[in-house]
Amino acid sequence: MKITFFGGTETVTGSKFLLATEHTQVLVDCGLFQGFKWLRERNWQPLLLDIDKLDAVLLTHGHLDHSGYIPVLYQQGYRGPVYTHHATKALCDILLSDSGHIQETDAKYARKYKISKHKNPKPLYDKATAEQSMTLFKGVNYYQKISVGDIQFYLQPAGHILGAACIIIEAEGKVIGFSGDVGRPDDIFMYPPEPLPKLDYLLLESTYGNRRHTEVDPYDELKEVINSAAKQGGTILVPAFSIGRAQTLQYMLLNMMQDNVIPNMPIFLDSPMAIRVTEVYCDFNEFHRLSPKQCQKMCQLTQFTPTVEDSKALEEIIYPHIIIAGSGMATGGRILHHFKKLISNPNTRVLFTGYQAGGTRGAKLLAGEKNIRIHGEWFEVRAQLHNLDGLSGHGDYVDILNWLKQSKLAEGTNIQLIHGEPDALESMRVHLAVNTPYDVHVASYHQILTI
């Protein structure tokens, strides 16, 4: 049995891991590369596997860095199943379609204004292809055992976002775990990840391998930003991931307004995708901490702006208000149109709410760049920037260590570190080497691991 690392190595994007036995091949996760241009260019390079021999795709969760390449597989002729949790299937139905639409729109914009080096820029895939790829999805329950050829697998809850799972594969007498993205034990919205069973090998995410989450209460951080912005009369722009982060922010803001710790002000959810995702979170409320009543209230008190006209109308508002819009790393979506109008205003607050991958517009802004390029134009950055780190959906290295200690992993378990920047991976390797009895390695791009 072999595992080939086609992504998610030495970076936090593009997760793809091919597990091949003598008779069966499954791809665990099928994500887009994001961030730096040299990483994004990998999305256009041929994936070095035989589509005709691929028996199934197993998906840990819906974020594009884990799911966003599935339409490309479909485009290339893959017609096998994509197994994932029911909630992830519902989210991908929204997320992949939106990804295709954004790529179409960006390509059309680039053609119209001639801002691409290509004569006829095209999307990696379009909305129609993304929607067609959803016919491959097969929703499964947590702990439901599924057989594909000579392998058997099941999903177990990983926290992080709705539907997220660790995937446990049994094949050729070995048990291999794929962590996906691992949530936090004290997440505001999600339940903690379930401990792992005994494994021979574990592919383990390391996003926060070199950092601890702040001990400051995220409610206190958010209160300070909102109250300060309200006094100045400015707009608060929140680039938020449509899955998970947008819903958590809605919930927190409404709680704080009801408790009178921040002033009542309009909250606009300016993302068609996040609006639909919020509805999915309400449909699957048994998998997170909010009750049906709390979900209903969250939807009633947030003003949704689904259409382009609704979004443009926000530009006319002159009183303090909050706009939550995608994308979370400011790589696309409606937040960019609000940036173009407001990021040069010193009364504007931009509130980032999670990890910003290297090369993204969000990472550049938080690094202090004074000018930012949007849709081919340069804009001076005069807005006040904040990063609410306490809302990250990833466990930090201490959270991960504690999770592993709660699990049934035996001494000598082989751990391959994935899904982290190089510094985070090396720090995570050292933390695990010092504090655990496991055999720890940092995986590399196109590495082949023989089991």
Side-chain angles (χ1 to χ4, degrees):
M1 179 164 45
K2 295 181 178 180
I3 298 175
T4 306
F5 297 78
F6 286 119
T9 54
E10 300 165 325
T11 178
V12 294
T13 67
S15 289
K16 300 181 197 71
F17 312 101
L18 181 70
L19 184 146
T21 67
E22 187 177 350
H23 305 290
T24 307
Q25 294 188 18
V26 296
L27 188 66
V28 179
D29 279 345
C30 190
L32 284 177
F33 286 100
Q34 299 168 307
F36 293 112
K37 184 178 180 181
W38 63 270
L39 279 173
R40 298 196 310 272
E41 287 174 345
R42 289 181 181 176
N43 295 322
W44 296 87
Q45 297 169 1
L47 188 60
L48 301 178
L49 60 80
D50 188 340
I51 295 290
D52 294 333
K53 293 182 180 179
L54 185 61
D55 296 292
V57 175
L58 316 182
L59 186 59
T60 60
H61 66 287
H63 280 147
L64 285 178
D65 57 330
H66 293 258
S67 70
Y69 196 81
I70 290 171
V72 179
L73 282 193
Y74 185 89
Q75 210 162 237
Q76 294 173 351
Y78 177 70
R79 293 297 182 271
V82 177
Y83 291 105
T84 193
H85 189 266
H86 296 286
T88 298
K89 178 184 175 183
L91 292 174
C92 283
D93 194 30
I94 301 167
L95 192 61
L96 296 183
S97 175
D98 185 76
S99 173
H101 172 70
I102 288 173
Q103 290 182 60
E104 278 188 275
T105 302
D106 288 348
K108 183 178 179 181
Y109 191 96
R111 286 195 298 272
K112 181 178 180 180
Y113 293 100
K114 296 180 170 52
I115 59 174
S116 172
K117 66 178 181 181
H118 302 287
K119 285 186 178 180
N120 185 29
K122 295 180 179 179
L124 183 64
Y125 55 83
D126 58 22
K127 181 178 179 181
T129 301
E131 291 175 346
Q132 290 162 7
S133 74
M134 286 304 304
T135 61
L136 308 180
F137 277 65
K138 311 290 183 186
V140 301
N141 298 320
Y142 288 127
Y143 298 109
Q144 177 184 352
K145 289 202 171 184
I146 306 291
S147 294
V148 178
D150 61 349
I151 79 162
Q152 193 174 63
F153 74 91
Y154 65 88
L155 312 180
Q156 66 172 59
H160 186 56
I161 65 166
L162 184 67
C166 301
I167 296 179
I168 311 300
I169 293 178
E170 300 173 16
E172 297 183 347
K174 301 290 184 181
V175 184
I176 302 100
F178 295 81
S179 75
D181 287 353
V182 183
R184 304 172 66 177
D186 54 352
D187 192 278
I188 291 170
F189 217 100
M190 297 301 303
Y191 293 119
E194 292 288 326
L196 293 166
K198 184 177 180 181
L199 301 172
D200 296 294
Y201 289 81
L202 171 63
L203 275 66
L204 177 65
E205 78 127 314
S206 310
T207 309
Y208 278 80
N210 60 343
R211 286 170 297 158
R212 292 296 317 276
H213 293 307
T214 176
E215 294 184 4
V216 177
D217 187 331
Y219 275 100
D220 290 338
E221 284 187 287
L222 187 56
K223 178 178 72 174
E224 184 179 338
V225 173
I226 300 298
N227 285 334
S228 178
K231 288 178 182 177
Q232 290 185 332
T235 303
I236 303 161
L237 299 179
V238 187
F241 301 96
S242 295
I243 300 178
R245 207 62 46 79
Q247 292 73 37
T248 300
L249 283 163
Q250 291 175 71
Y251 175 63
M252 291 177 68
L253 289 166
L254 293 170
N255 278 346
M256 293 167 72
M257 288 181 189
Q258 289 173 354
D259 292 341
N260 295 315
V261 297
I262 61 173
N264 284 311
M265 64 176 70
I267 303 168
F268 297 98
L269 186 59
D270 189 27
S271 165
M273 182 169 67
I275 292 168
R276 293 176 63 194
V277 166
T278 299
E279 294 168 352
V280 172
Y281 266 73
C282 291
D283 292 340
F284 289 90
N285 73 281
E286 68 268 33
F287 298 112
H288 58 72
R289 298 182 189 272
L290 270 63
S291 68
K293 185 176 181 180
Q294 288 173 311
C295 285
Q296 183 181 31
K297 199 167 190 178
M298 183 174 71
C299 291
Q300 290 173 341
L301 297 179
T302 304
Q303 298 185 49
F304 295 158
T305 54
T307 69
V308 173
E309 290 72 23
D310 292 333
S311 181
K312 288 181 177 179
L314 300 180
E315 296 181 3
E316 306 304 319
I317 299 176
I318 58 174
Y319 47 82
H321 59 287
I322 301 165
I323 299 175
I324 303 171
S327 65
M329 298 184 192
T331 53
R334 290 185 181 177
I335 197 66
L336 296 185
H337 296 281
H338 296 301
F339 275 6
K340 288 165 74 172
K341 181 173 177 61
L342 295 168
I343 204 162
S344 298
N345 185 334
N347 287 334
T348 299
R349 303 295 181 102
V350 178
L351 179 59
F352 289 98
T353 58
Y355 183 79
Q356 304 296 308
T360 61
R361 199 173 278 106
K364 292 176 181 178
L365 284 167
L366 288 178
E369 293 204 8
K370 299 301 181 185
N371 294 280
I372 202 76
R373 193 167 185 257
I374 306 172
H375 298 151
E377 298 179 66
W378 288 95
F379 295 84
E380 183 183 5
V381 179
R382 300 182 67 203
Q384 300 176 57
L385 305 177
H386 307 269
N387 187 27
L388 200 64
D389 182 60
L391 289 188
S392 172
H394 294 263
D396 63 26
Y397 71 87
V398 173
D399 294 331
I400 299 289
L401 280 170
N402 290 335
W403 178 60
L404 295 178
K405 289 176 181 178
Q406 294 165 11
S407 300
K408 296 180 180 179
L409 303 186
E411 181 177 350
T413 301
N414 185 295
I415 293 181
Q416 299 287 324
L417 297 178
I418 56 170
H419 206 277
E421 304 289 0
D423 288 349
L425 289 162
E426 177 58 18
S427 292
M428 190 67 153
R429 186 192 67 78
V430 172
H431 292 313
L432 291 177
V434 171
N435 295 289
T436 74
Y438 312 132
D439 182 18
V440 187
H441 308 268
V442 174
S444 59
Y445 189 48
H446 284 162
Q447 172 187 339
I448 300 175
L449 177 66
T450 300
I451 296 175

